[in-house]
Amino acid sequence: MNELNVGIFNIASAAVSLAVLLVGLVLWFFVNRASSRANEQVALLEELLDQQKRQNALLRRLCEANEPEVEKKATAASEEDDEEDDFVRLVAER
């Protein structure tokens, strides 16, 4: 009778070990799958960022090519005014 109890405990121990192994493998599968998808999304986002940078550069060149000379002079004058305003901002208030 004692040998029967030892055999049951061995079988139960093996069954629990097998169940834990299966649960671990299933969890590993889903974590690995989520990680792969996240890596794909990061790669796509980096590619999108690169394309947007190129589009912005092209748009800047296009705008500069179509900008009249008068606006450039006015912009330079407004930048000088902005520099004077920046100096006033540096003065500490009491």
Side-chain angles (χ1 to χ4, degrees), residues 2-87:
N2 195 13
E3 293 175 6
L4 183 61
N5 287 338
V6 173
I8 291 174
F9 285 130
N10 285 338
I11 293 173
S13 175
V16 169
S17 298
L18 184 62
V20 169
L21 178 67
L22 287 175
V23 168
L25 286 174
V26 169
L27 286 175
W28 175 81
F29 171 76
F30 285 111
V31 168
N32 191 19
R33 184 176 168 195
S35 175
S36 297
R37 286 189 176 183
N39 289 340
E40 289 174 3
Q41 288 178 349
V42 167
L44 290 172
L45 287 172
E46 287 175 349
E47 184 179 339
L48 183 65
L49 178 65
D50 185 44
Q51 289 177 357
Q52 285 178 342
K53 285 181 180 179
R54 285 187 276 154
Q55 286 178 351
N56 286 341
L58 287 172
L59 185 61
R60 277 195 198 106
R61 279 194 266 157
L62 233 153
C63 290
E64 289 173 359
N66 291 335
E67 188 174 285
E69 292 293 326
V70 176
E71 291 181 9
K72 288 182 182 178
K73 291 178 183 176
T75 305
S78 67
E79 287 177 1
E80 291 174 3
D81 293 339
D82 289 341
E83 290 175 5
E84 292 174 7
D85 291 340
D86 289 339
F87 181 73

